[in-house]
Amino acid sequence: MKRSILLFIAILLITNINAQHTDANIFGDVKSGNEHIPFANIYIEGTTIGTTTDKTGHYMLIDLPEGKHVIVATSLGYKSSKQEFVIEANKTLEINFVLEPEIINLDEVVVTGTKTFKRSTESPVIVNVLVSKNIEAVQACNISEGLKFQPGLRVETNCQTCNYTQLRMNGLGGGYSQILINGRPIFSPLIGLYGMEQIPANMVDRIEVVRGGGSALYGSSAIGGTVNVITHIPNETDYNVSYTSHLINKESTDNVLNANVTMVSKKRNAGVVLFANRRYREAYDHKGITLNSDGTNKIEKDNYSELPELRNNSFGGNMFFHPRPNQKLGVNFASFYEYRYGGEIIDKEAHLAQQSEERVHNIFMGGIDYQLNFNNDNSSLVIYLAGQHTDREHYTGLYPAREEYDSDSAFTVAENMHLKNPPYGTTDNKTLHGGAQFNHRIRNFLIGSNVLTGGLEYIVDDIIDSIPEYHYGTNQETQNFAAFLQSDWKLTQAFTFLFGLRADKHNLVDHVIFSPRLSLLYRLKDYTQFRLTWGTGFRAPQAFDADMHIAFAGGGVSRISLDDNLKEEHSNSFSSSVNFDYQKSKYILGFTLEGFYTKLNDAFYLQPIGEDELGEQFEKRNGPGATVKGITLELRANYNKKAQFEAGITLQSSLHDEAVENIEGLEAKKEFLRTPDNYGYVILTLNPIERFNASISNLYTGSMIQAKFSPDESVYPNEYRTSKSFNEINIKLGYTFPLNTIDSGIEIYGGIKNLTNTYQNDFDNYRNRDSNYIYGPSEPRTVYIGIKLMTL
């Protein structure tokens, strides 16, 4: 790592190239009606030259390249405006803009689809954007709660005791989803277990989502899609502080404190945003089913948690600095501490509980990016380095039960062994990612223009996880060297053709894997886009997030190992979509319809291989294959910024080519477990008057098949169960009181999550519960109230 940092600094020093001096300048202002617009974005189309207006709405660009150009002015809440002009050396032009208010932003600048900045309506790969405003509308505490409100995505809780989560995209499991932090894949397989709950919502500016094979340019694990979490970017000086108190089903509290502050220099060539988060949630015990020896059961509380105790402290920041007009240096970092405890609710050490899981995470992650623009801003070089370090202490165990031993003496021996050497474990995980990317624009390329992108990157992930008393451990180092090329060819104003190719050499695969992708975009006027995409991908034969989770089942602990002959699995993905938005002066109506098809070859699955003295054992193996296909429909509407409607529904099927065994002795099945054939969401936000806001949302989850271990096979056997469908309704109301003397405001808000309390009602009770048997909404009815102080 030290060598990498020294090399990075050396490259910065030797690439300190002087900006071009033409003494060709532009100045002007940006208005809406008679009011100037501060901090509006001004840039030259097709280049990386840009600035923002100052507090008075004025701007200036200097030393511009000669020739014919288009200058663009944009600002949140307004329609963008363009003007064509000719730049000559030693001359200064005045160009002023008048922007019209916009009902809804349909054309955000996105980066995840092509690895370059591009308007979403011009990207050949469809990119969905979840902005911080929508995350606030559903009162999400973290990105796990926010991502539920995206089409084709489903966040599920996979453990009744520790509540680890998985992100499923287009019907594929969490290991098929690539999560990026500011464009870098440092969200390691280990972090994937709990990381989505550890990243607080106030850290996030927006989340960009690419579903399906169109994300193959990001490498291994991007088969299902890519989620790019982009942290807050310093745009203007402001601050906000909020405190929210939740009451979970009238019993347990969950309190969250957030703070953000942003500072930008007067010259707007440097800025920093800092965030802090503190959360404390009490453990919550929901009624479950207690099994009697005569085969009857009763519904009662058992003093074992369904929601674990959480204590989180997070801090981080995002900074930029322009040493010269053609250079940008960006630095981001974040530190996360989390204590998580689930199981029997006692005020003692974890190993004294009848059943419990305890996790203590200390995570630090960060990255540094340097961008140099040259060749009249037709070329750019980006050099980047990012990494994370996770230090974890953990416990997963059962206290010996007297009834499981033939004699008091045998029980006493087991108890003493447990007390002397309880099964605590430690984990050390490091990820380092570095690379370089070169972009070059060819303005006259046969027909139209072309942006060529190429790059090299290297990522290493090292994890050592050990529980000595279980004779269990993971010692896995993965290394992947990759090269990628892309041609983003704009043939005409209507047609764009994208071709990309990535080559990966993974240390667990004995050959180079090539992953091509093709995308075609046809733009019908300004309001309709048609897209076709094909891509291939792979997953390396390694342990992913769920493979590192030890669960409780049948009175023991279940573990996953890898088959000695495990090899990589491959994917072939197709998707097509149509995107339509009809806009008038006061309203917008739109929809997106997408079809997707993914074929997995040598697909991974878990094969039961029997029990040992600790519990159930599973082995990850290659199967013959699997097919996932379906359609996603998105609807959206906005009336005069007073009411906004968004909805998404996914209909799909996920099937193995041949039936696989899920629990030893049970019928093999083709269906993917925990995978509903339909799911979706609705959000309605209302702003009838300036300072009042309201939102109503609903999450729908269709029925799904689950494999269920019995707590006591002498009473009833292991079995498959089909869950019912769920609707999770949420409401939120808020009102802002202005504090004009300090240019600030106070918002008072409150609401209810899971209004109808549709929560799982057949949890297992007590120590022998099957902790993997969990489905449906992530929490029962929860009432909350909060206060927020912020800049207006």
Side-chain angles (χ1 to χ4, degrees):
M1 184 179 291
K2 290 180 180 177
R3 290 179 179 177
S4 300
I5 293 172
L6 290 173
L7 177 61
F8 189 87
I9 293 172
I11 292 172
L12 293 185
L13 293 174
I14 65 176
T15 55
N16 189 20
I17 300 173
N18 289 330
Q20 183 184 22
H21 294 287
T22 61
D23 199 24
N25 311 312
I26 293 177
F27 71 94
D29 62 15
V30 180
K31 291 181 177 180
S32 178
N34 295 320
E35 297 290 329
H36 281 93
I37 302 176
F39 312 121
N41 296 305
I42 308 293
Y43 65 92
I44 307 299
E45 193 172 60
T47 76
T48 55
I49 301 172
T51 186
T52 58
T53 58
D54 59 21
K55 288 184 178 181
T56 67
H58 293 79
Y59 75 94
M60 187 170 190
L61 293 169
I62 62 172
D63 288 321
L64 299 175
E66 295 181 78
K68 189 175 181 180
H69 297 281
V70 174
I71 186 169
V72 184
T74 66
S75 185
L76 186 64
Y78 299 90
K79 297 179 183 179
S80 61
S81 178
K82 300 181 180 182
Q83 295 190 42
E84 208 172 79
F85 66 98
V86 177
I87 280 290
E88 298 179 22
N90 303 312
K91 288 188 178 182
T92 297
L93 297 177
E94 179 179 0
I95 300 180
N96 301 314
F97 291 92
V98 177
L99 302 186
E100 298 178 19
E102 185 175 45
I103 298 174
I104 185 173
N105 187 9
L106 298 173
D107 203 15
E108 298 114 326
V109 175
V110 295
V111 65
T112 310
T114 61
K115 283 199 171 188
T116 57
F117 289 98
K118 203 171 184 71
R119 292 267 167 199
S120 58
T121 58
E122 297 177 355
S123 173
V125 178
I126 192 166
V127 181
N128 287 85
V129 181
L130 177 65
V131 297
S132 57
K133 182 180 179 181
N134 280 4
I135 296 175
E136 288 184 12
V138 297
Q139 197 54 40
C141 296
N142 48 55
I143 66 169
S144 174
E145 296 178 11
L147 284 170
K148 299 174 184 178
F149 294 91
Q150 278 290 286
L153 273 60
R154 194 172 68 85
V155 178
E156 66 178 23
T157 303
N158 282 157
C159 179
Q160 181 186 1
T161 306
C162 72
N163 274 201
Y164 88 87
T165 57
Q166 276 197 75
L167 173 65
R168 290 182 177 266
M169 302 181 70
N170 281 359
L172 292 168
Y176 295 89
S177 304
Q178 177 78 281
I179 298 179
L180 311 174
I181 306 296
N182 291 315
R184 310 300 172 217
I186 57 174
F187 208 82
S188 71
L190 174 69
I191 296 179
L193 280 170
Y194 305 103
M196 290 192 297
E197 283 198 301
Q198 292 167 342
I199 298 179
N202 69 308
M203 174 181 170
V204 178
D205 177 70
R206 68 186 189 277
I207 301 175
E208 297 182 2
V209 178
V210 177
R211 300 189 299 268
S215 60
L217 203 63
Y218 288 94
S220 177
S221 304
I223 291 174
T226 297
V227 171
N228 189 6
V229 179
I230 299 172
T231 58
H232 277 295
I233 300 168
N235 285 323
E236 57 183 292
T237 298
D238 67 3
Y239 73 93
N240 64 76
V241 181
S242 67
Y243 180 80
T244 310
S245 183
H246 305 75
L247 183 62
I248 303 170
N249 215 14
K250 302 180 182 179
E251 294 183 16
S252 301
T253 60
D254 183 3
N255 299 313
V256 182
L257 175 66
N258 292 322
N260 291 65
V261 60
T262 305
M263 295 166 284
V264 180
S265 66
K266 289 184 178 180
K267 293 183 179 180
R268 304 193 64 77
N269 64 341
V272 58
V273 56
L274 301 174
F275 79 88
N277 167 272
R278 181 179 176 83
R279 181 184 189 187
Y280 174 56
R281 183 179 74 188
E282 295 177 326
Y284 169 76
D285 174 23
H286 196 73
K287 290 181 179 180
I289 295 178
T290 300
L291 197 62
N292 299 317
S293 58
D294 60 1
T296 62
N297 58 64
K298 58 182 176 180
I299 298 176
E300 63 178 358
K301 292 191 174 184
D302 60 351
N303 200 43
Y304 286 68
S305 67
E306 272 64 54
L307 296 179
E309 177 186 348
L310 291 178
R311 299 179 188 177
N312 296 76
N313 287 300
S314 307
F315 174 77
N318 198 356
M319 296 160 273
F320 77 88
F321 172 57
H322 289 281
R324 295 177 180 273
N326 67 326
Q327 299 177 40
K328 182 179 180 180
L329 180 67
V331 177
N332 64 85
F333 71 94
S335 175
F336 307 103
Y337 166 84
E338 182 189 75
Y339 173 82
R340 178 182 293 251
Y341 174 87
E344 186 185 14
I345 303 173
I346 61 171
D347 189 19
K348 300 178 182 178
E349 294 176 274
H351 69 278
L352 299 178
Q354 291 296 310
Q355 180 252 25
S356 71
E357 290 189 50
E358 183 182 63
R359 308 282 185 263
V360 182
H361 286 89
N362 282 284
I363 303 172
F364 181 82
M365 61 175 61
I368 181 170
D369 292 59
Y370 173 74
Q371 180 170 332
L372 172 70
N373 305 321
F374 55 97
N375 188 26
N376 288 332
D377 274 295
N378 287 311
S379 304
S380 65
L381 174 67
V382 182
I383 304 169
Y384 48 88
L385 182 68
Q388 70 83 25
H389 179 218
T390 299
D391 180 32
R392 182 178 74 158
E393 298 175 352
H394 56 95
Y395 171 86
T396 303
L398 295 159
Y399 197 90
R402 173 63 188 86
E403 62 270 17
E404 295 179 355
Y405 295 89
D406 297 332
S407 65
D408 289 343
S409 59
F411 167 68
T412 300
V413 170
E415 184 180 39
N416 289 337
M417 288 181 61
H418 177 82
L419 293 174
K420 183 180 179 180
N421 297 300
Y424 285 93
T426 59
T427 310
D428 185 71
N429 178 217
K430 300 181 181 72
T431 307
L432 183 65
H433 175 247
Q437 177 177 319
F438 176 74
N439 307 304
H440 179 64
R441 179 184 301 276
I442 305 174
R443 295 184 179 276
N444 298 299
F445 182 82
L446 301 178
I447 301 173
S449 61
N450 199 341
V451 176
L452 301 176
T453 299
L456 301 172
E457 62 182 24
Y458 173 77
I459 184 169
V460 57
D461 182 79
D462 181 65
I463 180 169
I464 300 174
D465 185 23
S466 174
I467 307 177
E469 296 311 307
Y470 288 159
H471 307 290
Y472 168 86
T474 299
N475 188 349
Q476 175 179 272
E477 180 179 279
T478 59
Q479 301 178 40
N480 193 83
F481 179 77
F484 55 89
L485 294 170
Q486 178 179 269
S487 166
D488 186 359
W489 186 6
K490 188 174 183 179
L491 294 96
T492 66
Q493 288 296 320
F495 283 97
T496 300
F497 175 68
L498 181 77
F499 169 74
L501 178 66
R502 181 182 171 102
D504 288 272
K505 178 60 183 75
H506 197 284
N507 67 311
L508 300 182
V509 180
D510 59 9
H511 57 276
V512 177
I513 298 177
F514 293 94
S515 302
R517 72 165 179 175
L518 302 172
S519 294
L520 179 66
L521 166 68
Y522 170 62
R523 300 180 68 205
L524 180 62
K525 298 185 178 179
D526 291 329
Y527 48 79
T528 308
Q529 302 90 44
F530 298 89
R531 293 177 174 90
L532 289 172
T533 297
W534 166 79
T536 68
F538 79 100
R539 281 211 303 165
Q542 66 180 76
F544 291 94
D545 45 14
D547 306 326
M548 302 180 193
H549 177 254
I550 294 178
F552 296 102
V557 290
S558 65
R559 289 136 296 140
I560 298 171
S561 59
L562 304 184
D563 182 7
D564 291 338
N565 298 314
L566 190 69
K567 62 181 180 179
E568 75 275 8
E569 66 174 324
H570 294 268
S571 69
N572 225 319
S573 297
F574 300 85
S575 67
S576 62
S577 66
V578 55
N579 186 87
F580 173 82
D581 290 288
Y582 180 75
Q583 182 170 353
K584 285 291 187 179
S585 59
K586 289 192 175 182
Y587 68 89
I588 290 177
L589 299 172
F591 73 87
T592 300
L593 179 64
E594 180 185 30
F596 58 88
Y597 175 93
T598 298
K599 173 66 176 175
L600 300 176
N601 297 311
D602 301 314
F604 297 153
Y605 77 100
L606 297 180
Q607 174 65 41
I609 56 175
E611 292 184 63
D612 61 9
E613 69 277 7
L614 298 175
E616 300 289 339
Q617 298 183 91
F618 296 86
E619 186 174 72
K620 179 186 270 191
R621 297 179 179 177
N622 291 108
T627 301
V628 177
K629 58 185 176 182
I631 59 172
T632 293
L633 174 65
E634 303 169 48
L635 301 173
R636 53 191 167 268
N638 187 296
Y639 176 74
N640 205 28
K641 295 187 179 181
K642 302 294 185 184
Q644 182 165 313
F645 172 83
E646 298 175 65
I649 183 72
T650 299
L651 309 175
Q652 63 161 69
S653 72
S654 303
L655 298 172
H656 293 281
D657 292 347
E658 297 179 8
V660 300
E661 188 178 20
N662 296 289
I663 295 180
E664 191 172 15
L666 283 187
E667 172 195 1
K669 285 188 174 292
K670 285 188 173 184
E671 293 89 350
F672 282 26
L673 300 186
R674 296 181 185 272
T675 307
D677 289 339
N678 44 78
Y679 51 93
Y681 73 96
V682 173
I683 305 176
L684 174 64
T685 55
L686 302 171
N687 300 93
I689 58 177
E690 182 180 0
R691 305 202 181 277
F692 175 76
N693 65 84
S695 67
I696 304 171
S697 61
N698 181 53
L699 283 171
Y700 169 75
T701 304
S703 62
M704 65 189 94
I705 299 173
Q706 299 259 58
K708 174 76 175 63
F709 278 101
S710 171
D712 186 350
E713 290 189 65
S714 65
V715 179
Y716 73 81
N718 302 327
E719 62 180 329
Y720 288 111
R721 291 184 183 177
T722 300
S723 68
K724 63 181 181 181
S725 60
F726 285 88
N727 280 289
E728 184 180 349
I729 301 171
N730 314 287
I731 60 173
K732 180 182 180 180
L733 303 173
Y735 189 86
T736 301
F737 298 90
L739 302 174
N740 295 325
T741 55
I742 57 173
D743 297 324
S744 300
I746 292 180
E747 181 186 14
I748 306 296
Y749 57 89
I752 304 174
K753 299 180 181 180
N754 197 354
L755 177 65
T756 56
N757 210 15
T758 54
Y759 197 53
Q760 184 176 342
N761 59 7
D762 62 343
F763 288 111
D764 278 347
N765 270 355
Y766 297 104
R767 70 186 297 279
N768 289 352
R769 62 188 186 177
D770 178 1
S771 63
N772 280 333
Y773 183 63
I774 183 171
Y775 58 87
S778 60
E779 59 185 357
R781 182 189 293 123
T782 299
V783 179
Y784 63 89
I785 188 169
I787 184 170
K788 182 177 183 179
L789 175 66
M790 57 190 170
T791 306
L792 288 182

